[in-house]
């Protein structure tokens, strides 16, 4: 008997009809003899609805109470799915994160899973029951409810699969796999049969929301076979694999993008040792993560310094930078939050030259100005004005021939 962990996202359990459809799929798999653990998200739109309810009460809700509130979304779905399973004669039991001891740290709204006690789940599986578990939530050592960050049900599923040493973790969603880029932005995007963990990790961390970053990290670390599939149509989906010889020889596997970006610049800073630290120290002191950094030397022994942060942190970061500008005697501090980051990802970059120049040439032909650049072994990212997101992604998708079955 195989042990399978399946996860169904918000759209896949968005209505009672869809919950019933998920129940039939799960029951059919159990009939075939597989042990089934099912992790579900809140019904689509529900988590956003709960967030806005909280925001109607106060601007900055208490993180502990917000987690208590947000965790209710998933609790509704587990109960409904268990009922739907029982209704078609399939024994099932639902559990919240706390009930199956998904122990996390206490970082509300971005908690990390530390441990899972799988005894209760195993007992149910042994008794032939389907186990339905609420995604996105856990409990800390003091018994407080925590949540794992948006998209966190993916991580619950992978962590559950790791704890149970499941044969496969299947992430069912509203697309039939991982594509060369978000099919909502580039309709010509192509589904990949396989992608490496390394590439998937880059895609996720550079903005492709199809899998939460932590779920990919977890799967890589604990060797969990991971697959992304559609809950609406049959198919093999995309398998996330370790690199092997039979992988396609593509230079580029995909294009990721992120709208969650803002950039800040401080100009005319005296160029002396410790400048970067005096600019970024106060930013990280406020718990704001910095992504790209560029420092230019101007002619008069001063320097201009530009960096990016996530858009949520922009107002706070600009406030801090303006204070720093005064302290350092800099000419000015300014910011722009109408920017986006577009990234090319591919393990093939390691062995192929000329990718960056082709990327820059393509953007230049479209008249898209590149504001910042950063590279690593398997990715190149550029920052461009927000209005160029779609044009940039589509022209790069064309230039690198990603729609073709075997791209160069
Ligand atoms: P779920 O609610 O099932 O967790 P998500 O909305 O979190 O679903 O993730 C699925 C969405 O991810 C797709 O609808 C698609 O728009 C988006 N997406 C972004 N990048 C990609 C990509 N490279 N491949 C497939 N989907 C992507
Ligand atoms: N319901 C949560 C969210 O909308 C978690 C998830 O769906 O994975 O972010
Ligand atoms: Mg998701």
């Amino acid at each position: 008997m195989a042990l399978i962990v399946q996860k169904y996202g918000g759209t896949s359990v968005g209505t009672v009809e869809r919950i019933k459809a998920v129940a039939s799929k799960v029951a059919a798999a159990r009939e075939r003899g597989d042990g089934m653990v099912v992790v579900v998200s809140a019904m689509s739109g529900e988590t956003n609805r709960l967030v806005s309810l909280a925001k109607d009460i106060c601007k900055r809700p208490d993180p502990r109470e917000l987690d208590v509130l947000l965790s209710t979304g998933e609790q509704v779905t587990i109960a409904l799915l268990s009922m739907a399973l029982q209704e078609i004669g399939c024994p099932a039991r639902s559990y919240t994160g706390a009930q199956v001891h998904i122990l996390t740290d206490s970082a509300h709204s971005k908690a990390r899973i530390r441990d899972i006690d799988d005894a209760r789940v195993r007992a149910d599986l042994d008794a032939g029951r389907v186990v339905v578990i609420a995604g996105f939530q856990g409990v800390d050592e003091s018994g407080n409810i925590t949540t794992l960050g948006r998209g966190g049900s993916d991580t619950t599923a992978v962590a559950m699969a790791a704890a149970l040493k499941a044969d496969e973790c299947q992430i069912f969603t509203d697309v039939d796999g991982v594509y060369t880029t978000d099919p909502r932005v580039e309709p010509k995007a192509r589904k990949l049969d396989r992608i490496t963990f390394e590439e998937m990790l880059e895609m996720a961390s550079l903005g492709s929301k199809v899998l939460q970053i932590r779920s990919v990290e977890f799967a890589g670390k604990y060797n969990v076979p991971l697959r992304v599939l559609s809950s609406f149509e049959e198919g093999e989906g995309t398998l996330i694999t370790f690199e092997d010889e039979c992988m396609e020889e593509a230079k580029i596997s995909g294009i990721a993008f992120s709208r969650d970006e803002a950039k800040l610049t401080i100009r005319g800073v005296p160029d002396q040792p410790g400048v970067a630290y005096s600019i970024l120290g106060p930013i990280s002191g406020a718990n704001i993560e910095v992504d790209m950094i560029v420092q230019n030397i101007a002619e008069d022994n001063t320097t201009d310094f530009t960096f990016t942060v996530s858009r949520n942190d922009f107002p706070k970061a600009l406030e801090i930078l303006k204070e720093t500008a005064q302290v350092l005697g800099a000419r000015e501090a300014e910011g722009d939050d109408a920017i986006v980051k577009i990234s090319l990802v591919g393990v093939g970059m390691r062995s192929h030259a000329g990718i960056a120049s082709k990327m820059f040439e393509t953007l230049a032909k479209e008249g898209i100005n590149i504001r910042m650049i950063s590279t690593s072994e398997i990715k190149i990212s550029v920052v461009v004005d927000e209005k160029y997101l779609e044009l940039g992604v589509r022209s790069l998708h064309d230039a690198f021939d990603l729609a073709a079955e075997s791209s160069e």
Side-chain angles (χ1 to χ4, degrees):
M1 163 183 123
L3 177 56
I4 307 291
V5 175
Q6 295 189 334
K7 177 255 170 177
Y8 292 89
T11 326
S12 311
V13 292
T15 61
V16 164
E17 272 58 49
R18 287 188 173 165
I19 291 177
K20 288 181 180 169
V22 167
S24 322
K25 245 176 129 79
V26 171
R30 178 180 164 275
E31 286 292 304
R32 289 195 297 270
D34 291 342
M36 297 298 294
V37 173
V38 185
V39 172
V40 283
S41 291
M43 294 166 80
S44 59
E46 180 62 7
T47 309
N48 288 343
R49 188 184 74 88
L50 294 169
V51 170
S52 74
L53 276 179
K55 294 262 157 83
D56 285 347
I57 301 252
C58 51
K59 238 168 104 190
R60 282 201 201 137
D62 178 63
R64 181 186 183 280
E65 302 313 322
L66 188 60
D67 277 358
V68 171
L69 178 69
L70 296 192
S71 68
T72 63
E74 273 69 12
Q75 192 168 340
V76 169
T77 332
I78 53 169
L80 292 177
L81 179 59
S82 290
M83 290 174 199
L85 283 161
Q86 291 166 7
E87 189 64 17
I88 54 174
C90 176
R93 253 189 202 168
S94 69
Y95 294 103
T96 63
Q99 285 177 311
V100 281
H101 304 293
I102 299 183
L103 181 71
T104 70
D105 61 21
S106 303
H108 286 292
S109 87
K110 48 174 184 280
R112 280 184 180 268
I113 297 178
R114 283 194 178 151
D115 192 31
I116 296 178
D117 175 7
D118 60 8
R120 209 160 171 180
V121 177
R122 284 197 190 278
D124 277 320
L125 287 171
D126 290 345
R129 283 190 279 265
V130 170
V131 184
V132 182
I133 296 173
F136 173 61
Q137 55 179 264
V139 64
D140 74 3
E141 261 170 357
S142 322
N144 299 302
I145 294 175
T146 54
T147 65
L148 311 180
R150 299 306 302 265
S153 299
D154 298 334
T155 303
T156 306
V158 173
M160 219 54 236
L164 294 165
K165 300 195 174 54
D167 294 283
E168 192 163 280
C169 181
Q170 303 172 342
I171 307 288
F172 286 92
T173 182
D174 54 5
V175 277
D176 62 346
V178 178
Y179 277 69
T180 46
T181 193
D182 189 340
R184 285 183 213 217
V185 165
E186 170 52 286
K188 287 190 281 182
R190 177 174 56 93
K191 183 180 83 76
L192 301 164
D193 293 334
R194 292 164 155 243
I195 184 168
T196 66
F197 273 106
E198 216 183 347
E199 288 169 325
M200 194 62 238
L201 200 57
E202 285 286 1
M203 293 279 280
S205 58
L206 295 167
S208 299
K209 295 211 169 92
V210 58
L211 285 175
Q212 199 198 31
I213 307 169
R214 283 185 190 167
S215 71
V216 188
E217 278 170 4
F218 226 100
K221 190 162 161 196
Y222 294 98
N223 240 319
V224 177
L226 185 61
R227 193 183 286 276
V228 176
L229 320 101
S230 162
S231 59
F232 300 95
E233 34 188 283
E234 293 296 314
E236 294 293 298
T238 302
L239 185 67
I240 326 291
T241 62
F242 288 97
E243 225 168 318
D244 66 29
E245 326 70 79
C246 58
M247 294 289 297
E248 297 173 44
E249 270 291 301
K251 284 185 203 168
I252 303 297
S253 294
I255 303 175
F257 56 82
S258 161
R259 292 186 173 88
D260 178 27
E261 306 286 329
K263 83 178 167 53
L264 298 103
T265 300
I266 181 165
R267 289 187 209 286
V269 190
D271 190 17
Q272 61 203 28
V275 168
Y277 177 65
S278 41
I279 295 168
L280 295 181
I283 300 282
S284 72
N287 239 331
I288 297 175
E289 257 182 65
V290 170
D291 179 18
M292 290 190 195
I293 303 171
V294 173
Q295 182 178 341
N296 294 321
I297 307 290
E299 277 166 15
D300 48 355
N301 272 335
T302 65
T303 175
D304 296 348
F305 197 93
T306 302
F307 57 95
T308 63
V309 297
S310 104
R311 219 175 263 189
N312 279 338
D313 292 327
F314 177 64
K316 181 87 198 147
L318 189 56
E319 196 184 303
I320 296 172
L321 194 66
K322 288 200 159 143
E323 283 164 23
T324 307
Q326 286 207 327
V327 175
L328 297 180
R331 204 163 57 242
E332 60 177 346
E334 58 172 29
D336 182 356
D337 65 349
I339 56 146
V340 292
K341 181 167 70 177
I342 303 180
S343 311
L344 295 182
V345 174
V347 287
M349 275 187 212
R350 287 199 184 110
S351 49
H352 291 92
I355 307 233
S357 63
K358 185 163 176 179
M359 181 184 200
F360 305 154
E361 182 194 6
T362 307
L363 296 173
K365 272 192 194 147
E366 298 295 340
I368 301 175
N369 197 11
I370 301 172
R371 308 214 169 263
M372 295 173 87
I373 299 170
S374 98
T375 65
S376 76
E377 220 190 353
I378 67 160
K379 71 120 206 278
I380 307 171
S381 301
V382 295
V383 167
V384 300
D385 289 350
E386 188 169 29
K387 62 180 180 209
Y388 293 128
L389 174 71
E390 282 81 8
L391 179 64
V393 168
R394 289 179 196 150
S395 55
L396 290 168
H397 201 270
D398 272 351
F400 285 93
D401 225 4
L402 293 180
E405 192 47 51
S406 150
S407 58
E408 16 156 13

